[in-house]
């Protein structure tokens, strides 16, 4: 249709008629005279609208998803919280199993050495102000803990008790530079003194400068007078280096401790020493050396029927 004066007048007339019909329909309500026409139009265009609706349904669903995003977000958040709680529960179970295994090792060590122990948990590490290697345990005087008691775990010597409160105590670790303990070599019984060196190995000085020591040899605590601060027979560590003697009166060794001081959790405080020195019995059994596999050598021999070349 061309844009003429007549066409514009016709458009204005159609718009006026449309407004008039809408007004009549609204005022008529359910008794509207246009209700029959509307039903006829619905019957005619219903199938077309259904087809169009099927096409645009994905868009409508997307809009609905945005509208319900708050509810879905809350549901997802709730599920995430439940998942985290489940993970924490599983992690706690794993930790409990690990603690049970560690406690079992401590009880086995105590049983072998005939040490009466009090179990405790490490609850804090020492302040860095004094540059000391200490930990705080959740057992004190109310639990029968006293100063200068030996502390161990399932692997060996942890340290000694230095300060005791009513419910907590401080333990000086064997890795501390101020820590000193008498040691005895496995089998040879050579006596020495071990000192902590922080993250490095323990430094052991044997009294016998001519002692025969090899890499892999093991040491235990020698014990103290009246078993304080150290009871005898607690595993200390394994020799990793033997320094040249150079004619010195003592022999210096580098010993790797059996205990991992950065992973302490459950420990045992020896509240009653053994009746007799357990010697080397607390040391773990050495792994069996693998038996050499015999090799079979096949030697080829010339056949009797073979004739020499001319």
């Amino acid at each position: 249709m061309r844009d003429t004066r007549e066409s514009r007048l016709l458009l204005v007339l159609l718009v006026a008629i449309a407004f008039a019909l809408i007004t009549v329909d609204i005022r008529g309500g359910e008794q509207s005279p246009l209700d029959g026409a509307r039903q006829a139009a619905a019957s005619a265009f219903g199938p077309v609208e259904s087809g169009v609706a099927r096409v645009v349904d994905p868009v409508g669903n997307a809009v609905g998803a945005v509208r319900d995003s708050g509810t879905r977000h809350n549901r997802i958040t709730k599920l995430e919280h439940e998942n985290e709680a489940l993970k924490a529960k599983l992690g706690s179970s794993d930790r409990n199993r690990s603690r049970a295994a560690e406690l079992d090792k401590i009880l086995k060590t105590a049983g072998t050495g005939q040490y009466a122990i009090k179990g405790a948990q490490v609850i804090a590490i020492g302040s860095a102000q004094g540059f000391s290697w200490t930990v705080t345990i959740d057992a004190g005087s109310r639990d029968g803990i006293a100063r200068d008691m030996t502390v161990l775990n399932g692997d060996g010597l942890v340290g000694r008790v230095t300060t005791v409160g009513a419910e907590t105590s401080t333990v000086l670790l064997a890795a501390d530079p101020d820590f000193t303990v008498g040691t005895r070599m496995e089998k040879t019984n050579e006596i020495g003194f071990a000192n902590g060196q922080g993250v490095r190995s323990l430094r052991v000085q044997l009294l016998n400068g001519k002692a025969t020591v090899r890499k892999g040899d093991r040491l235990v605590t020698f014990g103290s007078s009246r078993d304080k601060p150290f009871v005898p027979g607690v595993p200390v560590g394994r020799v990793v280096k033997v320094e040249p003697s150079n004619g010195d009166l003592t022999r210096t060794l580098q010993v790797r401790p059996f205990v991992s001081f950065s992973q302490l959790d459950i420990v045992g405080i020896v509240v009653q020493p053994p009746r007799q020195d357990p010697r080397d019995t607390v040391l773990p059994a050495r792994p069996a050396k693998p038996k050499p596999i015999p090799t079979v050598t096949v030697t080829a021999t010339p056949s009797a029927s073979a004739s020499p070349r001319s």
Side-chain angles (χ1 to χ4, degrees), residues 15-221:
V15 171
I17 294 173
F19 274 107
L21 292 175
I22 292 173
T23 302
V24 172
D25 186 33
I26 292 175
R27 290 181 177 179
E30 294 181 357
Q31 304 299 326
S32 172
L34 299 178
D35 187 57
R38 184 165 51 245
Q39 290 181 2
S43 300
F45 295 103
V48 178
E49 290 176 347
S50 299
V52 174
R54 283 195 294 268
V55 173
V56 301
D57 252 350
V59 179
N61 291 337
V63 174
V66 173
R67 185 180 61 249
D68 298 335
S69 61
T71 303
R72 295 190 180 187
H73 176 72
N74 293 337
R75 189 188 310 168
I76 292 173
T77 302
K78 182 179 179 181
L79 291 175
E80 288 178 348
H81 289 167
E82 292 176 354
N83 192 26
E84 291 299 327
L86 180 60
K87 287 182 179 180
K89 184 177 180 180
L90 292 176
S92 177
S93 298
D94 292 341
R95 187 178 183 186
N96 289 337
R97 283 193 291 268
S98 176
R99 286 182 172 180
E102 180 61 26
L103 183 59
D104 185 65
K105 287 175 61 178
I106 294 175
L107 293 175
K108 183 178 180 180
T109 298
T112 304
Q114 296 300 304
Y115 310 123
I117 65 169
K118 174 68 178 181
Q121 180 182 348
V122 174
I123 57 176
I125 59 174
S127 171
Q129 293 178 355
F131 299 100
S132 59
W133 287 66
T134 61
V135 295
T136 302
I137 57 176
D138 63 349
S141 57
R142 294 181 180 177
D143 305 291
I145 307 303
R147 180 182 169 87
D148 287 336
M149 284 185 170
T150 306
V151 182
L152 51 79
N153 68 2
D155 297 317
L157 180 66
V158 172
R160 63 182 177 88
V161 178
T162 57
T163 306
V164 180
E167 299 179 352
T168 61
S169 301
T170 301
V171 177
L172 182 69
L173 302 180
D176 189 272
D178 291 334
F179 187 94
T180 302
V181 58
T183 61
R184 182 176 55 78
M185 298 291 301
E186 180 185 13
K187 296 182 180 179
T188 64
N189 295 327
E190 293 289 350
I191 299 173
F193 295 93
N195 296 97
Q197 299 187 108
V199 295
R200 295 183 295 172
S201 302
L202 301 175
R203 185 173 183 266
V204 177
Q205 284 189 309
L206 298 181
L207 300 183
N208 182 5
K210 297 181 180 180
T212 301
V213 185
R214 296 180 178 85
K215 185 178 179 180
D217 288 348
R218 302 182 295 180
L219 300 87
V220 297
T221 55

Side-chain angles (χ1 to χ4, degrees), residues 208-251:
N208 182 5
K210 297 181 180 180
T212 301
V213 185
R214 296 180 178 85
K215 185 178 179 180
D217 288 348
R218 302 182 295 180
L219 300 87
V220 297
T221 55
F222 178 73
S224 307
S225 175
R226 298 183 180 180
D227 300 306
K228 285 190 176 183
F230 302 107
V231 294
V234 180
V236 175
R238 189 188 308 273
V239 176
V240 293
K241 182 180 180 181
V242 181
E243 297 183 1
S245 61
N246 296 326
D248 295 336
L249 296 178
T250 60
R251 195 74 186 271

Side-chain angles (χ1 to χ4, degrees), residues 5-16:
R5 182 179 180 183
E6 291 79 6
S7 63
R8 285 197 298 270
L9 288 175
L10 179 60
L11 179 59
V12 172
L13 180 60
L14 291 175
V15 171

